[in-house]
Amino acid sequence: QSDEANLDRVDDVFFQRGLEVTRPTYTGSEEERGKAHRRRLVECDAAMIYYGSPSRDWVDMELMDLEQARGYGREKEYRARAVCLGPPDDRGKQRFRTRAAEVLRFDGQNPEVLSPFVERLLTGN
């Protein structure tokens, strides 16, 4: 929740390009939130993990969830997967890399770094 302002900027870029965005639910019971999260993993075309304030362990767990989505009922591959590194910057983020998703470095101001991800969704490439 502490990344809301930067997430709003990311959402705006996607929405302006004609994409629908869903975000995590922070209300309700843990069971309800987990159910909603798994439903999104199954139904969405693409997934972006925003790595601003959360811990690296949280990001790793989210990446594992993407890998486990078939076990929740997902039938097709994601059109795109990314980890969006946002402020605050630190050594861990500077060194972050993964083969499980594209890595985008967003400074909180320049939305152009999101363009490759958006284009992949719009064109299917």
Side-chain angles (χ1 to χ4, degrees):
Q1 287 175 304
S2 60
D3 293 316
E4 290 289 321
N6 285 326
L7 282 169
D8 290 346
R9 290 182 190 99
V10 171
D11 282 2
D12 290 346
V13 170
F14 292 152
F15 193 79
Q16 289 166 359
R17 297 293 305 273
L19 300 172
E20 192 69 35
V21 176
T22 61
R23 283 165 61 166
T25 303
Y26 300 111
T27 59
S29 70
E30 187 174 335
E31 180 181 346
E32 291 169 327
R33 291 189 313 269
K35 205 176 206 180
H37 176 66
R38 288 186 295 278
R39 187 183 73 244
R40 284 186 202 92
L41 289 171
V42 169
E43 296 176 2
C44 68
D45 292 322
M48 176 180 282
I49 299 164
Y50 187 84
Y51 182 9
S53 297
S55 70
R56 171 64 192 259
D57 288 337
W58 178 86
V59 173
D60 289 342
M61 289 184 344
E62 295 300 308
L63 286 168
M64 284 187 265
D65 278 351
L66 293 179
E67 295 297 322
Q68 296 172 354
R70 286 201 184 275
Y72 302 139
R74 184 171 185 84
E75 296 178 2
K76 58 185 177 179
E77 291 297 319
Y78 292 101
R79 292 177 66 186
R81 300 191 302 182
V83 175
C84 183
L85 306 177
D89 193 23
D90 62 32
R91 180 166 162 62
K93 287 182 196 167
Q94 291 169 5
R95 301 247 333 120
F96 182 86
R97 54 188 168 184
T98 181
R99 290 189 172 88
E102 177 180 8
V103 177
L104 305 171
R105 297 181 188 280
F106 179 56
D107 63 6
Q109 302 299 317
N110 182 8
E112 287 306 308
V113 300
L114 306 172
S115 292
F117 184 82
V118 171
E119 289 305 316
R120 196 167 10 277
L121 288 173
L122 294 175
T123 64
N125 295 324

